[in-house]
Amino acid sequence: MADSNITKRALAAALRELMEQMPFDKIQVGQICELCDMNRKSFYYHFKDKYDLLNWIFDVEFLTFVQRHSRAKKTEQRIESIRDMCHYFYENRDFYRKALKIQGQNSFSEHFREYIMLLIKSRFSELFGDREDDFELNFFTDAVVCAMERWLLDKECMPPDEFVDRLLQLICQGADVVHQQLNEDTE
């Protein structure tokens, strides 16, 4: 198992290095293998294709992050977890900017959306119990993914603390306005 992770990490490092030099769609599996002195057979033993490798990088790095923060129960702790997540993306924004621009089947954008959906579904389940209707889940998933993509892809990407603070302010103000309007309508 240890050898498998060493090989996967070497391939991941090679892909990251190549993504600094050229667009993802120009990168070939042979180039990844050549950079870390491996053969294509080794690559395909571990990954289906370069998209699978890219998604594995995210899974390993982000899963480590999620596992560290999954015990957050209080709102304050959850906000700090979101803040830490945004710091992670901000520190790795060059990599994720390129990854988010990849389109098509097996793209990182789709993989990222699925992952965010699982996180939101887990939180919804805690708050509302299991629900049959996915309308709310899709709505909030799309909102989170779109906000993250816009933030990371912005040429002048604001610092993560500012991004989270602005989101929190928007959510709180929006909730207050809706609450006030509903109370006015019932009077």
Side-chain angles (χ1 to χ4, degrees):
M1 183 66 126
D3 290 339
S4 176
N5 283 329
I6 292 169
T7 301
K8 289 177 179 180
R9 289 187 189 284
L11 291 166
L15 177 60
R16 276 183 172 271
E17 186 176 328
L18 287 169
M19 285 178 68
E20 290 175 15
Q21 301 167 12
M22 65 181 72
F24 183 81
D25 63 333
K26 301 288 185 204
I27 297 172
Q28 298 175 355
V29 170
Q31 293 170 302
I32 298 168
C33 294
E34 185 178 322
L35 194 58
C36 57
D37 246 1
M38 287 185 205
N39 60 41
R40 293 170 66 88
K41 189 175 179 182
S42 294
F43 179 92
Y44 288 113
Y45 178 78
H46 296 288
F47 301 104
K48 292 183 289 192
D49 53 27
K50 64 184 182 179
Y51 298 93
D52 191 29
L53 172 57
L54 176 66
N55 293 337
W56 181 85
I57 293 169
F58 170 76
D59 291 348
V60 168
E61 291 179 356
F62 201 69
L63 185 59
T64 301
F65 167 82
V66 169
Q67 286 174 338
R68 278 197 324 254
H69 292 84
S70 64
R71 294 180 217 22
K73 298 295 178 200
K74 295 182 178 181
T75 301
E76 192 175 293
Q77 293 171 320
R78 287 192 173 113
I79 291 170
E80 279 310 306
S81 294
I82 292 168
R83 198 174 295 279
D84 288 347
M85 177 186 71
C86 289
H87 275 273
Y88 162 78
F89 280 111
Y90 187 78
E91 290 163 8
N92 293 282
R93 69 186 174 279
D94 291 337
F95 175 75
Y96 284 108
R97 280 178 174 162
K98 292 172 183 171
L100 286 167
K101 291 180 182 176
I102 301 164
Q103 297 299 313
Q105 188 176 1
N106 301 325
S107 70
F108 175 74
S109 294
E110 285 301 311
H111 185 73
F112 181 61
R113 185 183 189 288
E114 289 171 14
Y115 207 91
I116 295 297
M117 181 178 273
L118 287 174
L119 291 175
I120 292 173
K121 187 174 188 173
S122 170
R123 183 70 177 125
F124 271 22
S125 181
E126 290 174 26
L127 294 172
F128 309 116
D130 291 328
R131 300 177 85 143
E132 296 295 319
D133 186 7
D134 286 340
F135 179 81
E136 296 91 351
L137 180 61
N138 281 311
F139 176 84
F140 283 103
T141 299
D142 290 344
V144 169
V145 169
C146 184
M148 294 289 293
E149 285 181 353
R150 282 186 187 271
W151 170 57
L152 289 169
L153 293 173
D154 188 344
K155 187 172 66 172
E156 297 179 25
C157 183
M158 71 179 78
D161 289 324
E162 181 182 348
F163 176 68
V164 173
D165 290 343
R166 290 182 73 178
L167 282 176
L168 289 171
Q169 181 182 16
L170 178 66
I171 292 166
C172 290
Q173 285 178 339
D176 284 345
V177 167
V178 168
H179 184 262
Q180 288 172 2
Q181 287 179 346
L182 288 173
N183 281 339
E184 288 173 6
D185 290 346
T186 58
E187 292 175 0

